[in-house]
Amino acid sequence: MAAKLPESPFGSEPTSSTNVRASPSTSGTNNTHGGVHPSRQYYLEQLIVALHNDHTREEALHLLYKSCGAHEDLALLLWHSFGTIYILLKEIIAVYRLISAPELTESVLMRVCNALALLKCVATHPDTRMLFIKARIPLYLYPLLNNTNKESSHERLRLISLGVIGALVKAGDAEVITVLIENQIIDHCIHCMEVGSVLSKTVATFVVHKILLQDEGLKYCCTFAHRFYAVGHTLAKMVENLPEEPSEQQLQLLKHIICCYQRLSQSPRACDGLKFCLPTRLRDATAINLLRVDQTTIRLLEQLVYNVSIGHQSTTKPFGKSLMHLVKG
């Protein structure tokens, strides 16, 4: 009788108490780097080595993806091990030719999503984020962001690609955001805000807001009329398309939209423009009633309406006057 083979050639992930002799690091770091237990680091290193083998790559991608949350320094191993980022990019590039396909197979989808999740791991880590952005790796995600297909499999690709960009901007690093602006990330986010699901719209709007919070980002969006119009028109369209009784996800999107508008209203030129294009639903009681339990967002909305009402003469509202009287009883 044939022996029963293990489910995975890599076995299961060791716990911190497992006594396994660690091999020399594939990343060039010592076995205790970053506080990773030697047995766990050995396990991760073996998975990274397996990425280089066509026959074991798919399972290695899956197991490394499962390890993302448990090992904060996995990003360092991925970045500093020879050829690993190249292999992850190969997985992403391979799906380009399938973007026009009506539906992606589950196998193909899982491989590329796992590769994207590992890139997000690298984009999140403070020691690899700047290396990631300087290598212009976000450019490899743009074809996935620009996809117009709305099928669920394509939407998953769009959403996880946006997640990588979201991880880059979350810390508010001005240098990271400057590089993204130079590579026209705003245009790609606008596209996702137009064609994506509610979740994709929310993440894309979050990215735009984080960019606007930087002076360079606000200047970029407000210096030229066509840029301001592109952002403002897209935000307004999303507000107009919200149902009268939005879901929790749609309310989250509305909060990010208000954050973007409020930041735009701090630019004199944009503030004047908002007098003519700010959606009516944000000027009357509609949004206040929807967000009445979220005092932080209501204050931002009050500030927005005040800024637009007085123009660019001032952008600081004395909080004595409130819009809360508009809330329905």
Side-chain angles (χ1 to χ4, degrees):
M1 181 181 293
K4 186 177 180 181
L5 296 175
E7 293 183 4
S8 168
F10 310 108
S12 58
E13 181 177 1
T15 63
S16 58
S17 60
T18 305
N19 184 20
V20 179
R21 183 181 177 86
S23 70
S25 171
T26 58
S27 66
T29 60
N30 61 49
N31 290 324
T32 59
H33 176 77
V36 180
H37 191 276
S39 62
R40 290 184 176 183
Q41 180 162 326
Y42 176 77
Y43 173 74
L44 295 176
E45 290 171 353
Q46 295 309 300
L47 292 180
I48 290 173
V49 170
L51 286 177
H52 295 256
N53 187 320
D54 292 339
H55 300 292
T56 56
R57 182 174 301 154
E58 184 172 355
E59 185 173 5
L61 281 168
H62 174 65
L63 293 175
L64 281 168
Y65 159 70
K66 289 174 63 177
S67 299
C68 280
H71 306 288
E72 62 180 23
D73 285 335
L74 173 60
L76 297 172
L77 292 172
L78 291 171
W79 185 265
H80 293 293
S81 54
F82 179 77
T84 301
I85 298 299
Y86 169 71
I87 288 172
L88 297 180
L89 292 178
K90 277 181 63 178
E91 290 291 318
I92 293 169
I93 292 170
V95 85
Y96 287 174
R97 61 185 177 84
L98 302 175
I99 288 178
S100 59
E103 191 75 30
L104 298 173
T105 66
E106 186 64 22
S107 175
V108 169
L109 184 62
M110 287 306 299
R111 284 182 68 133
V112 70
C113 284
N114 288 337
L116 286 166
L118 294 177
L119 287 183
K120 180 179 178 180
C121 176
V122 177
T124 302
H125 199 285
D127 293 339
T128 52
R129 184 185 300 120
M130 205 63 232
L131 298 170
F132 186 94
I133 196 75
K134 286 184 175 179
R136 298 297 196 269
I137 293 189
L139 295 177
Y140 290 91
L141 308 182
Y142 287 2
L144 307 183
L145 297 178
N146 290 337
N147 188 1
T148 58
N149 194 317
K150 296 185 179 183
E151 294 294 329
S152 60
S153 58
H154 292 266
E155 173 58 25
R156 284 172 64 185
L157 274 184
R158 181 163 39 242
L159 183 58
I160 195 168
S161 299
L162 281 167
V164 178
I165 305 300
L168 285 171
V169 303
K170 189 174 182 179
D173 188 310
E175 190 175 359
V176 168
I177 288 175
T178 296
V179 175
L180 287 173
I181 290 173
E182 291 172 351
N183 288 284
Q184 301 178 325
I185 188 60
I186 294 282
D187 295 340
H188 301 289
C189 285
I190 287 175
H191 176 79
C192 293
M193 291 154 71
E194 292 173 339
V195 306
S197 67
V198 174
L199 280 176
S200 285
K201 292 178 190 292
T202 302
V203 178
T205 308
F206 165 79
V207 171
V208 171
H209 178 232
K210 295 297 287 188
I211 291 173
L212 287 172
L213 286 177
Q214 297 293 325
D215 291 341
E216 188 67 26
L218 184 64
K219 180 181 177 181
Y220 177 87
C221 291
C222 301
T223 299
F224 297 102
H226 70 278
R227 289 179 187 163
F228 168 74
Y229 174 80
V231 175
H233 175 75
T234 305
L235 292 173
K237 191 173 180 180
M238 289 193 294
V239 172
E240 292 165 2
N241 289 337
L242 287 175
E244 291 186 8
E245 297 184 4
S247 65
E248 285 298 319
Q249 288 183 354
Q250 290 167 329
L251 282 177
Q252 191 63 37
L253 171 60
L254 178 59
K255 293 175 186 179
H256 287 301
I257 292 171
I258 290 172
C259 288
C260 287
Y261 271 129
Q262 193 273 337
R263 178 57 173 159
L264 286 171
S265 73
Q266 294 178 349
S267 163
R269 297 190 66 186
C271 191
D272 286 343
L274 288 174
K275 287 185 175 182
F276 304 98
C277 65
L278 188 67
T280 304
R281 295 182 76 178
L282 297 183
R283 295 175 184 264
D284 58 25
T286 304
I288 291 290
N289 281 296
L290 292 175
L291 299 166
R292 56 183 174 271
V293 297
D294 188 337
Q295 294 298 312
T296 300
T297 306
I298 286 179
R299 281 187 174 273
L300 288 175
L301 182 57
E302 291 174 352
Q303 186 72 64
L304 165 64
V305 174
Y306 180 82
N307 290 350
V308 173
S309 68
I310 67 169
H312 62 78
Q313 300 171 21
S314 172
T315 55
T316 303
K317 172 181 178 281
F319 285 102
K321 187 176 180 180
S322 172
L323 296 179
M324 286 302 292
H325 68 280
L326 295 174
V327 178
K328 295 178 182 177

